[in-house]
């Protein structure tokens, strides 16, 4: 009974608030155009179940088939417009990016830190982006090759003759590389503490934001506090040292003339770990799977890698076959199926209205899996990248002012790990591998269990 009463009240609340929403829209002289085609589903719940009860590609593909490349829907209480044409993605992310701000759940902002780069537009974002980009240019990361190699060699050694969960092990590898890029070599002393806190923090990323003792969210917030304390200690240690000793991301953030506060620096260090770790680890996991399933491709990669004796930065720029395997994996796996923006004002697009406050989602996966852009799109075929893809059809690292500033580092660490893996080891996948998990990145079933041994 209580539930029915609640449902009725909730329904009335939704109807009344929708009335005010549309009334204020009309009063504000909103652009007089139709909304994109599509359905909004139930009040509040919308079409959340349809999206999350199955592989999201099925939901997106069936909508695109029915309504075309722009359609409306209603997910997790938000009215959304999804766009799946390269032109629309370009408009949202590049040409009209000032009309579409990044948007995240408030709980994520609290965990990573409000001052982190992803949550901002305008001058503050521009400044942070410059500081992050300069720490990750090819020139800035080329000296890291041998340190990344040591991390890769140690990781591979620790997997020898064991049944491992590839994704979990890759997360350790990418975490260590992220710390190296942010804090340099001499921070190994704090590595274990940082790792412990970060692992507790991440468990709360997708939890209900209820900050009461015992909840995942509460534990995460405590770990977040401890993480900030460790970072504050590292910052004060750095201030006592000679500044020229370091050329990592922290040094870039700490330059006096930039005037960032300790809180801003901590939020952005945590933000970069968040952006760098699971993304790169899932791509590596997919590469291991695709290479295992495609022995001729593995053979060509191995031959390319065996021709390199002592790995150098210059060598990493001369690996065309391995680089195409990375590109094709980024396309087929499309680990970030889409991204989120929010319209900051009413926007007119292709004869439709995208109302202010609505979420806008460019669907990367659909663009990467459209036969118009990539013939026989479900096939893993690295050779297709011998020819450059059409403009705006391949955006695994996003596009425009929020595109990934860490893409060069991601590619470098993947190449270094693949060099040592293919030249020294063989591996086999254990158990069935037909399912994909979305948590939230697309991942092979159970994180891809494998057995690895020396050749
Ligand atoms: C293969 C691995 C990676 C993939 C597929 C990836 C993908 C992306 C994408 C698609 C975006 C844009 C999101 C949007 O527009 O909403 C992005 C942003 C970002 N990525 Fe990556 N990323 C990867 C690795 C990394 C690494 C290694 C780092 C850091 C070292 C990094 C740092 C960032 C940051 C800081 C942003 C936010 C940029 C901004 O808001 O201006 N990413 N990434």
């Amino acid at each position: 009974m209580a539930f029915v009463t609640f449902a009725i009240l909730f329904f009335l609340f939704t109807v009344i608030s929708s009335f005010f929403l549309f009334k204020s829209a009309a009063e504000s002289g909103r652009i007089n155009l139709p909304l994109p085609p599509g359905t909004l589903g139930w009040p509040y719940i919308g079409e959340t179940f349809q999206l999350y009860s199955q592989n999201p590609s099925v939901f997106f593909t069936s909508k695109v088939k029915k309504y075309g490349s722009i359609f409306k829907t209603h997910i997790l209480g938000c009215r959304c417009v999804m766009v799946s044409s390269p032109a629309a993605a370009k408009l949202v992310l590049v040409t009209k990016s000032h009309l579409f701000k990044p948007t995240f759940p408030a709980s994520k902002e609290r965990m990573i830190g409000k001052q982190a780069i992803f949550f901002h537009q305008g001058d503050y974002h521009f400044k942070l982006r410059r500081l992050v980009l300069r720490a990750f240019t090819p020139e800035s990361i080329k000296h890291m090759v041998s340190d990344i190699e040591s991390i890769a060699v140690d990781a591979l050694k620790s997997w020898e003759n064991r049944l491992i969960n590839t994704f979990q092990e890759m997360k350790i590898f990418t975490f260590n590389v992220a710390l190296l890029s942010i804090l340099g070599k001499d921070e190994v002393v704090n590595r274990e503490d940082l790792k412990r806190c970060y692992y507790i923090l991440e468990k709360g990323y997708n939890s209900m934001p209820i900050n009461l003792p015992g909840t995942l969210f509460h534990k995460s917030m405590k770990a977040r506090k401890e993480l900030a304390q460790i970072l504050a200690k590292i910052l004060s240690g750095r201030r006592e040292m000679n500044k020229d000793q370091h050329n990592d991301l922290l040094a870039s953030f700490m330059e006096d003339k930039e005037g960032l506060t300790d809180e801003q620096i901590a939020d952005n260090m945590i933000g970069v770990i968040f952006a760098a770790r699971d993304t790169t680890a899932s791509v590596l996991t997919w590469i291991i799977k695709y290479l295992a399933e495609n022995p001729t491709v593995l053979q060509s990669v191995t031959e390319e890698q065996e021709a390199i004796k002592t790995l150098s930065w210059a060598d990493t720029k001369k690996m065309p076959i391995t680089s195409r395997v990375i590109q094709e994996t980024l396309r087929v796996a499309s680990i970030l199926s889409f991204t989120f923006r929010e319209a900051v004002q009413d926007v007119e697009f292709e004869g439709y209205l995208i109302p202010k406050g609505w979420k806008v989602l460019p669907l990367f996966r659909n663009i990467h899996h459209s036969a118009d852009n990539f013939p026989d799109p479900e096939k893993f075929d690295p050779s297709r990248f011998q020819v450059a893809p059409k403009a705006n059809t391949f955006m695994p690292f996003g596009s425009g002012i929020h595109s990934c500033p860490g893409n060069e580092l991601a590619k470098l660490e993947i190449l270094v790990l693949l060099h040592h893996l293919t030249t020294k080891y063989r591996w086999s996948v254990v158990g069935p591998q037909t399912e994909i998990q979305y948590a939230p990145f697309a991942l092979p079933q159970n994180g891809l269990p494998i057995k690895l041994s020396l050749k």
Side-chain angles (χ1 to χ4, degrees):
M1 186 60 203
F3 175 75
V4 175
T5 317
F6 172 76
I8 293 169
L9 284 174
F10 191 73
F11 179 74
L12 285 175
F13 167 77
T14 315
V15 170
I16 293 165
S17 47
S18 313
F19 171 75
F20 281 114
L21 188 81
F22 287 113
K23 191 163 178 274
S24 66
E27 278 167 358
S28 66
R30 177 165 277 178
I31 303 169
N32 195 14
L33 283 174
L35 291 168
T39 43
L40 294 177
W42 290 88
Y44 194 76
I45 299 163
E47 300 187 304
T48 309
F49 290 134
Q50 286 94 317
L51 173 64
Y52 286 102
S53 61
Q54 58 186 340
N55 171 343
S57 305
V58 176
F59 177 83
F60 298 140
T61 312
S62 67
K63 290 280 185 187
V64 171
K65 233 184 190 158
K66 199 160 172 191
Y67 300 114
S69 65
I70 170 165
F71 60 91
K72 66 173 179 292
T73 178
H74 187 191
I75 307 292
L76 295 170
C78 303
R79 287 154 196 270
C80 312
V81 173
M82 297 191 171
V83 296
S84 72
S85 74
K90 185 179 173 199
L91 177 112
V92 173
L93 300 172
V94 187
T95 1
K96 297 247 165 99
S97 59
H98 58 290
L99 301 179
F100 300 98
K101 64 174 187 191
T103 166
F104 289 82
S107 56
K108 208 151 240 167
E109 267 189 47
R110 279 174 72 185
M111 286 189 181
I112 296 174
K114 282 190 169 53
Q115 315 270 5
I117 182 165
F118 332 95
F119 310 128
H120 295 272
Q121 288 280 76
D123 292 349
Y124 178 64
H125 172 259
F126 185 74
K127 171 183 175 151
L128 285 174
R129 198 167 162 83
R130 181 172 51 77
L131 301 184
V132 175
L133 273 172
R134 75 177 176 192
F136 293 127
T137 57
E139 204 47 47
S140 310
I141 61 173
K142 64 204 282 189
H143 71 277
M144 288 172 62
V145 174
S146 63
D147 292 323
I148 298 178
E149 265 195 294
S150 324
I151 299 174
V153 169
D154 287 353
L156 288 163
K157 221 174 187 26
S158 74
W159 305 345
E160 279 174 21
N161 307 319
R162 281 172 52 211
L163 173 64
I164 60 155
N165 177 317
T166 311
F167 180 57
Q168 292 307 326
E169 296 296 334
M170 289 300 182
K171 283 202 317 186
I172 300 175
F173 169 67
T174 53
F175 185 86
N176 288 337
V177 174
L179 277 198
L180 174 74
S181 70
I182 299 169
L183 301 169
K185 264 199 297 204
D186 43 324
E187 282 312 336
V188 273
V189 278
N190 290 300
R191 198 196 270 177
E192 290 313 309
D193 278 340
L194 289 167
K195 201 177 280 175
R196 179 179 50 77
C197 292
Y198 189 81
Y199 275 50
I200 305 172
L201 174 68
E202 70 160 1
K203 288 208 178 93
Y205 275 148
N206 296 317
S207 65
M208 294 283 285
I210 302 168
N211 203 358
L212 289 175
T215 62
L216 263 183
F217 188 78
H218 185 75
K219 286 184 193 148
S220 283
M221 293 306 285
K222 259 178 81 179
R224 173 70 181 71
K225 227 182 205 167
E226 196 181 338
L227 207 52
Q229 282 159 359
I230 302 170
L231 295 173
K233 207 174 72 191
I234 295 173
L235 277 170
S236 67
R238 276 276 174 111
R239 291 206 170 98
E240 285 158 22
M241 284 184 212
N242 177 355
K243 289 213 175 72
D244 302 335
Q245 267 174 321
H246 299 278
N247 56 351
D248 43 40
L249 180 65
L250 181 56
S252 177
F253 283 150
M254 283 184 74
E255 258 191 32
D256 291 341
K257 66 174 189 313
E258 306 300 348
L260 289 188
T261 65
D262 285 10
E263 197 191 338
Q264 288 171 330
I265 296 177
D267 289 2
N268 280 289
M269 288 201 282
I270 295 171
V272 168
I273 298 175
F274 168 75
R277 193 188 65 160
D278 289 17
T279 46
T280 318
S282 7
V283 173
L284 273 163
T285 305
W286 281 108
I287 294 179
I288 304 293
K289 177 174 157 65
Y290 292 138
L291 287 180
E293 286 171 358
N294 294 276
T296 15
V297 178
L298 174 59
Q299 183 59 30
S300 326
V301 170
T302 308
E303 281 166 17
E304 181 172 81
Q305 294 301 329
E306 278 172 349
I308 296 163
K309 294 299 165 222
T310 339
L311 190 63
S312 67
W313 167 259
D315 294 323
T316 66
K317 294 286 152 201
K318 285 183 274 166
M319 297 178 175
I321 300 172
T322 319
S323 298
R324 287 199 289 269
V325 166
I326 298 175
Q327 284 177 300
E328 178 67 342
T329 303
L330 288 165
R331 183 192 72 80
V332 183
S334 288
I335 56 137
L336 286 164
S337 303
F338 51 84
T339 189
F340 283 94
R341 294 291 187 270
E342 185 182 309
V344 297
Q345 63 179 61
D346 286 358
V347 183
E348 182 185 340
F349 178 68
E350 287 186 357
Y352 296 117
L353 165 70
I354 301 180
K356 178 181 175 185
W358 281 43
K359 309 287 180 204
V360 182
L361 283 70
L363 303 179
F364 298 134
R365 174 174 286 271
N366 286 58
I367 296 172
H368 293 164
H369 283 247
S370 156
D372 296 341
N373 307 328
F374 298 96
D376 201 356
E378 301 313 315
K379 187 173 171 208
F380 179 81
D381 176 12
S383 71
R384 68 172 84 238
F385 280 95
Q386 281 167 354
V387 179
K390 287 185 260 173
N392 308 307
T393 59
F394 183 56
M395 40 187 116
F397 293 106
S399 193
I401 54 165
H402 286 278
S403 68
C404 182
N407 74 87
E408 286 290 341
L409 179 66
K411 284 185 264 184
L412 176 64
E413 63 189 288
I414 294 173
L415 287 171
V416 171
L417 189 116
L418 287 182
H419 172 75
H420 289 280
L421 175 73
T422 56
T423 51
K424 295 185 196 133
Y425 294 91
R426 60 168 60 89
W427 68 96
S428 55
V429 174
V430 179
Q433 274 307 321
T434 43
E435 302 290 316
I436 301 179
Q437 287 165 226
Y438 295 87
F441 301 120
L443 256 189
Q445 194 173 355
N446 301 322
L448 193 75
I450 59 163
K451 263 196 163 153
L452 178 115
S453 55
L454 276 169
K455 276 187 185 168

